Amino acid sequence: MSLFAIEDLVVDVPGRRLLDGIALDLPAGRVIALIGHNGSGKSTLLKVLARQIPASGRVAFEGRALGDWHARDYARRLAFLPQTTPPAEGMLVRELVALGRYPWHGALGRFGPRDHAAVAEAMAECGVAAFADRLVDTLSGGERQRVWLAMMVAQGAGTLLLDEPISALDIAHQVEVLALVRRMCHAENRSAVIVLHEVNMAARFCDHVVALKGGRLAMQGSPADLMRPATLQDIYGLPMQVLTRDDGTPIAIPA
């Protein structure tokens, strides 16, 4: 089943083309990495999928053109986490997670038993129930990212769009967050599209990889397709060497 079907996608800003003729068929039920050097168009593509910016071409989500989706219906099916999350000053963890229920009842709707259950289940799934009554601002970076993920889970969306969710985290929390996303998707048949800078993290935690270069598609396929010296050099423009860890997983380093 196709999650997103994209044909001839173009995004222009004054004096510059950010995406040029992108054609993709992103599979459902997978963890998909968007990789490439800075300025390659990764975040731009994710924002198009989230309906945050306009584009020309054709994009369909679950078989329906993006423009045919009502805003609330789209928000119930898909959750977007930007690279810079909004401030949560003075908010408790449970309050932030509860914001995920907004597409289901609006700003003035009553918060019912189903909403309370969704929030509790999301906090448990993301491992943040133990600090439900703590202020979000008092948490570590990794804990905060898990709270934002819990908010997305509470939203009930089957598709998660994440823009560089590990860029501000140390290596331990990077592994923790990506392992959680992978587990959430595989256990509950969710889909995720994640912008990542770290190619080894993409190969380790993602099922499908899309690489962009200069606003154009450079490669799409499996992590094994990605982790080849010639492919990596084509994407990043420098010689790369691929080694194998003791557990058999590949790791790329500059040659």
Side-chain angles (χ1 to χ4, degrees), residues 46-153:
L46 197 76
K47 289 174 183 176
V48 170
L49 302 184
R51 302 205 310 184
Q52 299 292 306
I53 58 174
S56 62
R58 295 173 293 281
V59 182
F61 173 63
E62 296 183 346
R64 289 173 58 187
L66 288 196
D68 292 343
W69 284 87
H70 185 276
R72 178 168 288 188
D73 292 337
Y74 201 65
R76 289 175 176 179
R77 297 291 305 138
L78 180 146
F80 171 59
L81 186 66
Q83 182 178 350
T84 302
T85 54
E89 185 176 355
M91 294 189 69
L92 300 176
V93 167
R94 68 168 70 251
E95 293 172 336
L96 179 57
V97 176
L99 292 180
R101 299 303 297 166
Y102 176 83
W104 296 94
H105 56 68
L108 302 178
R110 185 181 298 275
F111 209 80
R114 180 176 296 180
D115 300 301
H116 287 290
V119 169
E121 291 167 5
M123 289 193 296
E125 182 175 353
C126 296
V128 299
F131 36 85
D133 294 313
R134 284 180 57 185
L135 290 170
V136 175
D137 289 346
T138 67
L139 303 178
S140 70
E143 289 168 341
R144 283 197 299 273
Q145 284 299 78
R146 282 161 44 206
V147 172
W148 284 104
L149 288 172
M151 186 195 73
M152 300 172 82
V153 172

Side-chain angles (χ1 to χ4, degrees), residues 135-219:
L135 290 170
V136 175
D137 289 346
T138 67
L139 303 178
S140 70
E143 289 168 341
R144 283 197 299 273
Q145 284 299 78
R146 282 161 44 206
V147 172
W148 284 104
L149 288 172
M151 186 195 73
M152 300 172 82
V153 172
Q155 189 172 325
T159 297
L160 312 177
L161 304 183
L162 309 170
D163 194 354
E164 298 191 34
I166 63 171
S167 60
L169 304 180
D170 60 45
I171 185 65
H173 286 117
Q174 290 179 12
V175 170
E176 176 186 276
V177 168
L178 290 180
L180 173 60
V181 173
R182 181 177 175 88
R183 185 166 62 249
M184 287 164 50
C185 290
H186 288 182
E188 301 295 335
N189 197 33
R190 296 186 183 99
S191 305
V193 184
I194 314 174
V195 172
L196 292 172
H197 274 294
E198 225 297 311
V199 65
N200 292 312
M201 290 293 187
R204 179 176 177 183
F205 290 104
C206 298
D207 308 306
H208 190 80
V209 180
V210 173
L212 299 179
K213 184 176 182 179
R216 293 178 175 270
L217 179 65
M219 169 266 173

Side-chain angles (χ1 to χ4, degrees), residues 22-36:
I22 300 293
L24 284 170
D25 193 354
L26 301 182
R30 304 286 186 87
V31 180
I32 301 166
L34 297 182
I35 66 167

